[in-house]
Amino acid sequence: MPVKKRHPSELAPQPVTEARVSPEAARWKPQRTLALAAGLTLLIILIFAPVRSYDFINHDDPDYVSANSHVNLGLTWSGVVWAFTQSHSSNWHPLTWISHMVDSQLFGRNAGMHHVVNVLFHILNTLLLFLLLLQPLTRRTIVCHCQHPMRKCS
């Protein structure tokens, strides 16, 4: 079988071209994103629905809510000052205290509703993470991450 001679330009390495992505695949699909977000929300609601009937537990609920006089008064100016100026239960987290104060203001000592609010926070955090993970990792974000003062790039 005869060997076909090739022109020297055919033997040279060919330039690398970027992979082609179909326009449909490259297009953002909000319907799919909304469907997945709704599915995640529904899954969390189904898993955590029973918390509506749960009571406070004796682990840290007495320190944080059920036996905390500052929280049980609801959202008051003195409670907000306390939240920002005191360290209670070995923690300083004023927004947590204020959140519990708002729960107490709205729901009193109904533990189930306090738990429902926490499930809502969990849903919001899950959706935020979901949306962040949808974003493509670009060179710019890699460079910004690499230039963070707490990171060492090698």
Side-chain angles (χ1 to χ4, degrees):
M1 198 188 271
V3 177
K4 181 183 174 193
K5 289 190 174 187
R6 294 183 179 222
H7 190 271
S9 66
E10 294 177 331
L11 298 174
Q14 298 297 316
V16 177
T17 58
E18 292 185 24
R20 297 200 184 262
V21 177
S22 70
E24 186 176 322
R27 207 173 319 140
W28 178 59
K29 298 184 176 161
Q31 297 87 1
R32 183 180 295 167
T33 303
L34 288 174
L36 288 171
L40 284 170
T41 301
L42 183 61
L43 181 65
I44 292 170
I45 290 171
L46 290 173
I47 291 171
F48 290 102
V51 303
R52 293 174 296 158
S53 61
Y54 291 175
D55 201 359
F56 291 118
I57 60 172
N58 289 326
H59 176 64
D60 59 2
D61 285 349
D63 286 339
Y64 281 78
V65 182
S66 59
N68 187 318
S69 61
H70 299 284
V71 169
N72 284 323
L73 291 174
L75 189 60
T76 64
W77 180 249
S78 63
V80 171
V81 169
W82 171 83
F84 278 96
T85 58
Q86 300 299 314
S87 176
H88 185 71
S89 298
S90 302
N91 294 304
W92 184 80
H93 39 63
L95 296 180
T96 300
W97 296 123
I98 293 171
S99 174
H100 287 305
M101 289 175 192
V102 170
D103 290 348
S104 291
Q105 182 82 31
L106 295 174
F107 312 117
R109 296 182 53 98
N110 181 346
M113 290 307 295
H114 286 255
H115 296 311
V116 167
V117 169
N118 287 330
V119 171
L120 293 175
F121 282 136
H122 183 59
I123 290 171
L124 289 174
N125 284 325
T126 300
L127 294 177
L128 178 64
L129 178 62
F130 172 69
L131 292 174
L132 287 174
L133 291 177
L134 285 178
Q135 303 304 312
L137 189 61
T138 63
R139 288 185 187 142
R140 182 176 173 189
T141 57
I142 293 171
V143 169
C144 290
H145 176 75
C146 193
Q147 291 176 346
H148 190 279
M150 297 301 289
R151 303 274 183 214
K152 179 184 176 196
C153 296
S154 51

